[in-house]
Amino acid sequence: MLFRSPKIIFLSDVSGSTEWISEFFFVITYAAQSTFKKLALFEFDSTAVEITKGLKSPTLSQALLKRIQSWENPPRARSGHSNYQTALEDFKKISEKYFSKDTNILILGDCRDWLGGYKQNLKGGYDPESKFLLEKIAKRVKRIVILNPEQKERWNTGDSIVSH
C-alpha cells in the first residue's frame, strides 16, 4: 500500500518574545524534512519569509546560515515585535501555492500580536485582524495547529490573542 506524504508547512514566530525557541523549531524542521518530503518553512515577525531552500543544505550549520541569508536577500527588516496581521498577509501571498486540503500548517508562536490591528466582528465587539486572516487560510487547508511555547497562565494577557 502506498501512502501519500502529507504536505506540512511550518510557520515560526521569530519575534523577540519567541526568539529563544525559534532556533530550536528550525532544528526540528531541519530534521523533519527526512520524514516529510513535502515540507515548507516560513518565519515571521511583522513580515513573513520563506526559509525552505535553506533546509536543503547538507549540514545544519549551513542551513542555519541560509536561514539568516533568507532574511537578507532581499533585505527584510525584522521589527522584533509580532504583527500577526501583516505577517499572515505576507505568508498567505507567498505560500498559498502550497495550500490544499492535504496541507497541515504548524505554527510555533505565542500569539502575541503586538502591532496587529482590530476590526469589528458580527457581535459588535472587536477581534484581531489576524483572526480573520487565519480563518481564510484555514478554509483552504486540512488543519492548523498552533504550538504555543508560552506558559498557559500568560495566555490571553497583555497583547496575547490566544482565545481568538
Side-chain angles (χ1 to χ4, degrees), residues 4-104:
R4 288 189 312 173
S5 179
K7 293 181 186 178
I8 300 188
I9 298 174
F10 291 92
L11 178 60
S12 182
D13 183 346
V14 293
S15 67
S17 61
T18 57
E19 213 167 26
W20 62 276
I21 196 153
S22 61
E23 193 165 296
F24 174 71
F25 195 58
F26 179 84
V27 171
I28 289 173
T29 307
Y30 181 81
Q33 70 179 330
S34 64
T35 303
F36 303 106
K37 300 299 179 201
K38 295 180 182 174
L39 178 146
L41 173 61
F42 297 82
E43 293 183 337
F44 74 96
D45 63 355
S46 60
T47 188
V49 174
E50 184 166 7
I51 311 292
T52 308
K53 288 181 184 175
L55 294 174
K56 306 300 180 205
S57 301
T59 67
L60 178 58
S61 59
Q62 289 172 329
L64 287 164
L65 179 61
K66 286 189 178 178
R67 173 187 181 218
I68 293 165
Q69 291 170 342
S70 295
W71 280 94
E72 295 171 348
N73 296 313
R76 298 282 192 126
R78 285 180 57 184
S79 69
H81 294 292
S82 299
N83 184 333
Y84 274 67
Q85 177 187 348
T86 56
L88 287 172
E89 287 169 350
D90 279 355
F91 171 70
K92 186 176 178 291
K93 278 185 224 165
I94 61 178
S95 68
E96 58 189 342
K97 63 186 171 203
Y98 299 114
F99 294 175
S100 76
K101 287 299 177 182
D102 293 332
T103 303
N104 294 285

Side-chain angles (χ1 to χ4, degrees), residues 113-131:
D113 199 1
W114 182 257
L115 301 171
Y118 283 77
K119 82 175 197 182
Q120 194 165 15
N121 61 31
L122 298 174
K123 296 177 183 177
Y126 288 87
D127 290 330
E129 290 272 358
S130 52
K131 171 192 170 185

